[in-house]
Each structure stands twice: as C-alpha cells, then as structure tokens.
Amino acid sequence: MDIIDENFSQDFHCLVYDNAPTHLKRTPTAPSAKKMTKNTPPVGKNWLVEVNMYDENGKQIYNSDGSYKKQHVQMSSSGFTEDGTPQSFYFEPGHEREGVFKGMAIILEERGFKGCVGRNGRLAECGDFSQGCVTAGQPDCCCRRMLYNEPDFVNVWPRLEEVANARGFAVLFLPKFHCELNFIEQCWGYAKRVYRTFPLTKKEDEMEKNIITALDSVPLETMRRCDVLDSRFRSL
Ligand SMILES: [Zn+2]
C-alpha cells in the first residue's frame, strides 16, 4: 500500500488476495460470541481477550524464551442497546463491577431481548449449536446463537480489509480453489514455462540465475492481459 501511494496515488486501486487464512484473519478484539460466558464472571474474575503485544514501532514483543508476549484486553463492541446507545460488553464506569464482562445474557437483555438472564433464562448454548441450532428452528434458541445473528457480530471484516479500506483501497478476496482467477498464477505459469526451456543444471547458483531470468522474462503486456482475462472471470 505504501508503494502504491507513493507511485500511483492518482488511480483507484483494488487489491486482490487469495483466500489464505492469514488474509482473512479478524482483529483479535473484534466481536465474537464463540467463547463468551452466559453470566457475569464471579467477583475477582473477568473475561477478556488474549492478544499479542507490540512496541511503539508496531514490532511484536517476545518473552525471554522466544514466545510471543501477550496481554489481556477488552473485546470491542460496535453494537447498541435497546435505546440506541453504543453498548460495551463490559460494565460502564460507576458500576460496582466496572470493567468486568457483562455476560451474554445481560448483553442480550440490554439489546432488548427478554428471557436470557437467570437460571430459567435461555441456555448459553443449546445441544444443537454446532449443527446450527436447526432442531430448535428458531433464531433465538440460545444466547450464543442470538449473538451470532446480531449485525455487529455478523459484519466483522478481515483486518486486512479494514486497514486497506481505511487507506482508500478496495479489497477483493478470491474464492478458494480458483487459481484461474488469480493473475499472479498466470505469471508463475509463464515464468515456469520459460524456466523449462533452460538446460538442466544441478548447480544452485545457476538455478538461481535461471529463476531470476525466467521471472524477469514475463512481459508487462502479458501481465496486463492475464489480469484483464481474470477480471472478466471475476465479474461473471
Ligand atoms: Zn441454539
């Protein structure tokens, strides 16, 4: 993105990525009901999200044993209570349990759903949850399903898309197992075909030279043609 901004800032850009899990990773503090507890944790305990720590330059911080240094932070919320006030998943300042996780039941009741809090309230998760709660056949069968269906839990974008959009770039994720839609694959194919025309060698330095020559041999015009072809597929 820095390179594009520096050299081609006058154009509109759409960044195309394949469906790799690293590209689709969400912000660790983004709303997720997967591990939330139904009730407020007991006194002295809290429910937070574990995230990696970074220094002021954005570099990951490591422990002396080489593992990632972690910290526990609040999960961020972009939802609203019943009266339209932005909602936090944690008790607000001034509350006797300030900063403590409210629990799914209270979060839902604040959003206007009844029958969640208490022993007789809805279950945290029904027995059919992993199958999509189809047995119950109701969107409000258990607390976790209800939060899963809330717009702020559904519309969580990958971190990559968030960063790109904030800088004015559009992002397109290609569907899985469709390398024909990815222009870089056509370029690899072109370079591989050129590489195969070189005499066989077992010397590493010659191989490296051949690889660089093969990669450099892909003409810009061919790259553009591949992308035009792929974008036609993508628009189907
Ligand atoms: Zn359920």
Side-chain angles (χ1 to χ4, degrees), residues 193-205:
R193 185 155 49 83
V194 172
Y195 185 86
R196 283 200 294 270
T197 63
F198 296 142
L200 276 178
T201 176
K202 287 186 175 173
K203 291 182 185 154
E204 207 171 302
D205 57 335

Side-chain angles (χ1 to χ4, degrees), residues 126 129 133 141-142 145:
C126 70
F129 182 80
C133 299
C141 96
C142 52
R145 177 63 53 201

Side-chain angles (χ1 to χ4, degrees), residues 87-166:
Q87 184 191 38
S88 170
F89 295 147
Y90 298 82
F91 286 113
E92 286 75 11
H95 190 279
E96 58 174 332
R97 307 270 333 258
E98 178 182 336
V100 173
F101 181 62
K102 293 173 178 172
M104 289 191 287
I106 292 179
I107 292 169
L108 284 163
E109 297 236 351
E110 283 184 354
R111 292 180 179 217
F113 299 101
K114 302 294 171 215
C116 298
V117 173
R119 278 176 182 273
N120 297 324
R122 285 185 185 82
L123 293 173
E125 179 178 312
C126 70
D128 193 38
F129 182 80
S130 58
Q131 303 302 315
C133 299
V134 282
T135 310
Q138 296 162 4
D140 59 349
C141 96
C142 52
C143 293
R144 208 177 306 286
R145 177 63 53 201
M146 289 167 79
L147 280 180
Y148 264 49
N149 292 333
E150 283 290 282
D152 53 320
F153 283 76
V154 175
N155 303 319
V156 177
W157 293 2
R159 174 87 183 114
L160 180 60
E161 195 166 6
E162 276 181 3
V163 171
N165 286 171

